[in-house]
Amino acid sequence: MSINTLVAKIKEKGNPTVAGLDARAEYIPESILRRNFLLHGETLRAVAESMVAFNCGLIDALCDIVPAVKPQAAYYELLGSYGAMALKQTIDYAHAKGMYVIADIKRNDIGATASAYAEAYLGRTRVGDTEIAPYGCDCATVNGYLGTDGIEPFLKECRNRDKSIFVLVKTSNPSSGEFQNRDMEGAPLYARMAEMVAKWGAGLDAPCGYNQVGAVVGATYPEEQKVIRALLPKSYFLVPGYGAQGATAKDIANSFNSDGLGAIVNSSRGIMCAWKKTGNNGEDFREAARAEALRMRDDIVAAIR
């Protein structure tokens, strides 16, 4: 089961973190961009190929210390069809290096459209008599606020293909409380969503002790983490908001269980853009990313002991 794989990789590396691969052109070292501009001009293709080179370099630097990567689809969609190819190449390279891949898509819709999203990122597309995995991710982030009919296609992939999902429960952005903290018959809406996550996960417990249906819970809301953890003791949490969004290791401690498991903390810009702090024009982007990933690991592990 997919969640078993993630937990095993976290234990193996002693590292409950995930590196976000959300590169914009300005995050990529100039030397990489220049090389591709010479080949393809100032085009979407040039940026996409630069993104793949950057991502592969980051994966090479991180794969033995970080268990997972999380490409955010929006940054690839910015580059049109070339971005779709860059996303697929990034996923394949991460898998080849033994990393777990979380597709950060936050998608949903109703019925057949939700099925298309689920099949695209977690399942397979039928072409004649052949089934092909368009992206082949291990897991995806999903918007549950459309209700059960929008979640069921993703649950189908969890059941049939041993995939996992993280459902948005309490997001890290400052205005999330405008809706997610509103009273919903005596409890905040995010707590009602957590109750639905528990319901959707029925029958999907894995041997590792966790469920294939997890929750996105922002690092920027430590008190809400405590409430959600009480409602979802068996769900893994994907925790955004550490670092660039202002949350510290202390802020994420409530997401973890007493066994030191139960959550995986994301950093995107902090790792990708670590090279900007070294003064070497990105020539050392691999070393800078690795050093930041190790610092983050040690910071978080110390906070949850």
Side-chain angles (χ1 to χ4, degrees):
M1 292 182 175
S2 175
I3 194 66
N4 275 346
T5 301
L6 178 59
V7 172
K9 290 181 182 296
I10 290 171
K11 287 181 176 179
E12 173 195 344
K13 292 176 170 56
N15 188 358
T17 72
V18 52
L21 298 179
D22 306 349
R24 300 183 72 107
E26 57 265 34
Y27 300 169
I28 302 171
E30 184 180 350
S31 60
I32 298 175
L33 285 169
R34 191 186 314 116
R35 188 182 315 127
N36 284 292
F37 286 164
L38 286 172
L39 290 171
H40 307 297
E42 293 186 354
T43 61
L44 295 178
R45 178 180 178 181
V47 178
E49 294 197 6
S50 297
M51 185 182 290
V52 172
F54 184 48
N55 286 347
C56 289
L58 291 171
I59 290 166
D60 286 340
L62 301 174
C63 62
D64 64 323
I65 57 171
V66 176
V69 292
K70 183 179 69 65
Q72 161 54 260
Y75 293 88
Y76 300 85
E77 291 171 13
L78 273 171
L79 305 176
S81 60
Y82 293 109
M85 290 186 285
L87 177 57
K88 176 60 173 169
Q89 289 172 340
T90 297
I91 291 165
D92 289 347
Y93 194 77
H95 278 150
K97 291 292 183 174
M99 301 185 87
Y100 186 90
V101 178
I102 301 168
D104 194 357
I105 56 173
K106 299 184 179 72
R107 299 290 168 79
N108 218 311
D109 211 306
I110 58 172
T113 310
S115 293
Y117 282 134
E119 291 165 16
Y121 285 94
L122 301 179
R124 293 177 177 271
T125 296
R126 179 168 289 280
V127 182
D129 295 327
T130 304
E131 286 190 331
I132 300 169
Y135 289 108
C137 299
D138 301 297
C139 179
T141 59
V142 181
N143 184 348
Y145 283 95
L146 280 83
T148 300
D149 59 345
I151 289 291
E152 179 54 39
F154 292 91
L155 298 178
K156 179 181 177 182
E157 302 302 331
C158 291
R159 288 189 292 264
N160 295 346
R161 302 191 191 277
D162 289 335
K163 302 291 185 174
S164 297
I165 56 174
F166 287 109
V167 180
L168 301 182
V169 174
K170 176 58 180 172
T171 57
S172 60
N173 56 304
S175 63
S176 66
E178 291 176 357
F179 292 103
Q180 295 166 20
N181 284 56
R182 289 206 171 192
D183 182 82
M184 181 76 169
E185 299 178 345
L189 180 57
Y190 71 79
R192 297 302 185 197
M193 178 56 73
E195 292 170 355
M196 291 302 297
V197 168
K199 179 179 177 181
W200 290 328
L204 288 170
D205 288 345
C208 65
Y210 288 94
N211 196 274
Q212 287 171 254
V213 181
V216 176
V217 183
T220 44
Y221 297 104
E223 291 305 310
E224 285 87 342
Q225 292 168 34
K226 194 182 302 181
V227 172
I228 298 165
R229 176 48 74 199
L231 292 168
L232 293 173
K234 293 184 178 181
S235 287
Y236 236 79
F237 289 5
L238 172 62
V239 184
Y242 173 89
Q245 291 186 49
T248 66
K250 182 180 177 181
D251 294 325
I252 55 87
N254 290 334
S255 290
F256 288 82
N257 284 316
S258 58
D259 59 3
L261 297 171
I264 186 164
V265 183
N266 178 73
S267 175
S268 298
R269 281 171 288 169
I271 291 174
M272 288 186 301
C273 297
W275 64 268
K276 294 192 173 187
K277 300 178 181 179
T278 68
N280 292 316
N281 296 319
E283 296 300 322
D284 59 346
F285 79 90
R286 297 171 184 83
E287 294 83 1
R290 184 179 179 86
E292 172 57 21
L294 288 169
R295 186 210 62 77
M296 178 185 176
R297 178 198 66 187
D298 295 346
D299 188 36
I300 289 171
V301 169
I304 63 176
R305 279 179 176 159

